[in-house]
Amino acid sequence: CDQPKVRVNWFSLTNQQRRSWQRAFMNLSRKPGCYWNVYNTRLDDFVLAHITQGKRIHFTSSFLPWHALFVDLFYDEMAKAGYDGPAVYYDWTHDA
């Protein structure tokens, strides 16, 4: 892998990037989901996957590759929803 993806701290984003992320996130909350429930959204799909698979995957040797794929899939959907910035993480110590 000669060009690994790098996640950046939310606080390092410009205001324009933050607004773009927020718009894409809201777009995911309006986009129809893939599961059987007609009321769910694409964002709900990610929440449901994390809840159902998270119980099985945490504390296993497969956790890190699973989580990396999960984050990649999430940001692929964010790009489809209009976000063109980097993947972000939230440094909770910033507000602690």
Side-chain angles (χ1 to χ4, degrees), residues 23-73:
R23 278 191 301 272
F25 191 83
M26 291 306 295
N27 288 341
L28 287 184
S29 74
R30 294 182 196 102
K31 185 178 179 183
C34 296
Y35 288 103
W36 61 270
N37 185 341
V38 295
Y39 298 108
N40 79 303
T41 67
R42 191 65 182 123
L43 184 59
D44 293 331
D45 290 344
F46 281 95
V47 172
L48 181 60
H50 194 265
I51 290 170
T52 59
Q53 297 303 311
K55 292 177 183 177
R56 295 184 183 109
I57 200 70
H58 284 94
F59 309 111
T60 70
S61 60
S62 303
F63 174 71
L64 290 178
W66 178 88
H67 198 269
L69 177 62
F70 186 81
V71 170
D72 259 3
L73 292 172

